[in-house]
Amino acid sequence: MTDTTYVGAVDQGTTGTRFIVFDHGGQVVANAYETHEQIYPEPGWVEHDPIEIWENTKTVITQALGQAGIAPEQLEAIGVTNQRETTVLWDADSGRPVHNAIVWQDRRTTERVEELEENGAVETIRGKTGLEPDAYFSATKAEWLLDEADPIKMERARPADIRDRAQAGDVLFGTIDSWLIYNLTGNHITEVTNASRTMLYNIHDLEWDDDLLEEFSIPEAMLPEVRPSSDDETYGTTDPDGFLEAEIPIAGALGDQQAALFGQTCFDAGDAKNTYGTGSFFLMNTGNEAVASDQGLLTTIGFQRSGEPVQYALEGSIFVTGAAIEWLEDLSLIDDPSETAELARSVDSTDGVYVVPAFTGLGAPHWDQRARGTIVGMTRGTRKEHVVRATLESIAYQTRDVAEAMEADSGIEMTSLKVDGGAVKNNYLCQLQSDIIGSEIVRPVVDETTALGSAYAAGLAVDYWDDTDSLRDNWQVDRTFETTMDAETADARYNRWLDAVERSRDWARDGEE
């Protein structure tokens, strides 16, 4: 059966949507991708059009299957993975969004978070959710949408009744996984890892938290049902009269970073991975224990299989890494990301230049919403090669920020780190990362581990794969990078990086964006 059947994964990311079909060996047999528009209504605001995302999802599924000559009926299941925290509200009757989705990078609710801090709510939120209160998470985004969303898109609503309709369950809330599952199956569902990123979900009691719902004025009636990441009961099936013309189980979902943890087969406590995408996200499995962080990391849910307890994780969220490479393109310093390694190698060092890409503030372990992008150390002799190299180095330094915090919280010395994401195709960056962090970097053969993780979750739910041991057997190393820089040099450069970070902090003040 598995010779002619497959599992598909919708990988809905910050800049685009991908559909990948995997075979039983975990190898890619079909792959299609579409970008979507990045909408910037005001400085610090970032939005996506949920309808565009859904239309692109249908397009990439159809394209991938068509290119590989695979019939929809040959899919045993579909998994979903998604940009986390990005928030959508939609009308239950029409299925139309109330407003554009507010993206995880969006900072419009910074003042609301500062109000929470002033009111002494930080410890309560951290204790219940494992999260550091920040505009990054979904709660303040949903609150803003209920208070401020333009009702015109609802066609029938008056400005005063969005909250009333939400109270009645006629306006629905979801992160992008919920939006896609709803459109694929008609069911209003999320799963535990995405729920754990909303700042509304108690990760210890495993339920929506009444106190937090009251704090943010979020009606419980608008919230999705929370299910396991790999769900034997499935979330529903695609509509046989819909675009696929087949009933395919939607059986697994994970937020993108937890999906990468699952795809890298980090199933045991102490296993760690770092994903290099628009941002970078460093996760360590802590098993059945929710380890509280003293170092500015997040305690989050790693994954849950049906009938099993949740697995927790420590996470370091770095807001800008791959996006910093895109910024180099925006400035016309490079024409293509592939140029960065050659340009960086063409100079012996950054010549004292440090780039802190705090374009949307600083995430873990610093958590400064008002930090902004900074370049320090420039002279008349600074060339673009120095800036490009410094930008690549900033990715490695930010990862060390998190690695040191991770080791301090967990008590586990990191000797090996699994990596994935688009940027790890850059050998120069992987070697630099090994040198700066002082540990082995391991890159797998299949680097689309985010999609692979959600495919694994869905496939396990429908018995396409027997157990996690068979998934470990699929995992193969492409290349290992060993440290070549002496520790003293790495430490000196890293300490200078920390000086640069200090200069980026608390820059964006009211009226001075």
Short mmCIF file of all heavy atoms in Angstrom, two decimals, residues 342-350 383 385-386 389 428:
data_model
loop_
_atom_site.label_atom_id
_atom_site.label_comp_id
_atom_site.label_asym_id
_atom_site.label_seq_id
_atom_site.Cartn_x
_atom_site.Cartn_y
_atom_site.Cartn_z
N GLU A 342 29.92 34.01 -0.80
CA GLU A 342 31.10 34.47 -1.56
C GLU A 342 31.53 35.87 -1.11
O GLU A 342 32.73 36.13 -0.92
CB GLU A 342 30.77 34.48 -3.05
CG GLU A 342 31.96 34.89 -3.93
CD GLU A 342 31.61 34.89 -5.41
OE1 GLU A 342 30.51 34.43 -5.77
OE2 GLU A 342 32.44 35.38 -6.20
N LEU A 343 30.57 36.77 -0.91
CA LEU A 343 30.90 38.12 -0.46
C LEU A 343 31.52 38.09 0.93
O LEU A 343 32.49 38.81 1.21
CB LEU A 343 29.65 39.01 -0.48
CG LEU A 343 29.13 39.42 -1.85
CD1 LEU A 343 27.73 40.03 -1.73
CD2 LEU A 343 30.09 40.40 -2.52
N ALA A 344 30.97 37.28 1.81
CA ALA A 344 31.49 37.20 3.18
C ALA A 344 32.91 36.64 3.20
O ALA A 344 33.76 37.11 3.95
CB ALA A 344 30.57 36.34 4.04
N ARG A 345 33.17 35.65 2.36
CA ARG A 345 34.51 35.05 2.31
C ARG A 345 35.55 35.99 1.69
O ARG A 345 36.75 35.81 1.89
CB ARG A 345 34.49 33.76 1.50
CG ARG A 345 33.83 32.57 2.19
CD ARG A 345 34.15 31.28 1.45
NE ARG A 345 33.41 30.16 2.00
CZ ARG A 345 32.29 29.67 1.49
NH1 ARG A 345 31.77 30.23 0.40
NH2 ARG A 345 31.67 28.64 2.05
N SER A 346 35.08 36.97 0.92
CA SER A 346 36.01 37.85 0.21
C SER A 346 36.72 38.83 1.12
O SER A 346 37.65 39.52 0.70
CB SER A 346 35.27 38.61 -0.90
OG SER A 346 34.41 39.59 -0.35
N VAL A 347 36.28 38.94 2.39
CA VAL A 347 36.96 39.78 3.37
C VAL A 347 37.36 38.91 4.55
O VAL A 347 36.73 37.89 4.84
CB VAL A 347 36.07 40.95 3.83
CG1 VAL A 347 35.92 41.98 2.72
CG2 VAL A 347 34.70 40.47 4.29
N ASP A 348 38.43 39.30 5.25
CA ASP A 348 38.94 38.49 6.36
C ASP A 348 38.07 38.58 7.60
O ASP A 348 38.08 37.69 8.45
CB ASP A 348 40.37 38.93 6.71
CG ASP A 348 41.35 38.62 5.59
OD1 ASP A 348 41.10 37.68 4.82
OD2 ASP A 348 42.36 39.34 5.49
N SER A 349 37.36 39.69 7.72
CA SER A 349 36.51 39.91 8.90
C SER A 349 35.46 40.95 8.54
O SER A 349 35.41 41.44 7.40
CB SER A 349 37.35 40.41 10.08
OG SER A 349 37.79 41.74 9.83
N THR A 350 34.65 41.34 9.51
CA THR A 350 33.70 42.43 9.28
C THR A 350 34.36 43.79 9.44
O THR A 350 33.70 44.82 9.29
CB THR A 350 32.52 42.34 10.27
OG1 THR A 350 33.00 42.59 11.59
CG2 THR A 350 31.85 40.97 10.20
N ARG A 383 32.86 48.41 3.45
CA ARG A 383 32.31 48.07 2.14
C ARG A 383 31.12 47.14 2.32
O ARG A 383 30.88 46.62 3.40
CB ARG A 383 33.36 47.40 1.25
CG ARG A 383 34.64 48.22 1.11
CD ARG A 383 35.46 47.78 -0.10
NE ARG A 383 35.65 46.35 -0.23
CZ ARG A 383 36.63 45.66 0.36
NH1 ARG A 383 37.50 46.28 1.14
NH2 ARG A 383 36.74 44.36 0.15
N GLU A 385 30.77 44.22 1.44
CA GLU A 385 31.19 42.88 1.86
C GLU A 385 31.22 42.77 3.39
O GLU A 385 30.85 41.72 3.96
CB GLU A 385 32.57 42.54 1.30
CG GLU A 385 32.60 42.30 -0.21
CD GLU A 385 32.71 43.58 -1.02
OE1 GLU A 385 32.68 44.69 -0.42
OE2 GLU A 385 32.83 43.49 -2.26
N HIS A 386 31.65 43.84 4.05
CA HIS A 386 31.69 43.83 5.52
C HIS A 386 30.28 43.77 6.10
O HIS A 386 30.02 43.05 7.08
CB HIS A 386 32.42 45.07 6.03
CG HIS A 386 33.85 45.16 5.61
ND1 HIS A 386 34.35 46.20 4.87
CD2 HIS A 386 34.89 44.31 5.81
CE1 HIS A 386 35.64 46.01 4.64
NE2 HIS A 386 35.99 44.86 5.21
N ARG A 389 28.83 40.26 5.52
CA ARG A 389 29.41 39.30 6.47
C ARG A 389 28.87 39.53 7.88
O ARG A 389 28.53 38.58 8.59
CB ARG A 389 30.94 39.41 6.46
CG ARG A 389 31.62 38.43 7.43
CD ARG A 389 33.10 38.34 7.21
NE ARG A 389 33.74 37.47 8.19
CZ ARG A 389 34.74 36.66 7.94
NH1 ARG A 389 35.24 36.60 6.71
NH2 ARG A 389 35.27 35.91 8.89
N TYR A 428 28.78 28.23 4.36
CA TYR A 428 29.53 29.24 5.11
C TYR A 428 28.82 29.56 6.43
O TYR A 428 29.45 29.62 7.49
CB TYR A 428 29.71 30.51 4.28
CG TYR A 428 30.39 31.64 5.03
CD1 TYR A 428 31.77 31.73 5.08
CD2 TYR A 428 29.63 32.61 5.71
CE1 TYR A 428 32.40 32.74 5.78
CE2 TYR A 428 30.25 33.62 6.42
CZ TYR A 428 31.63 33.69 6.44
OH TYR A 428 32.24 34.70 7.16
#
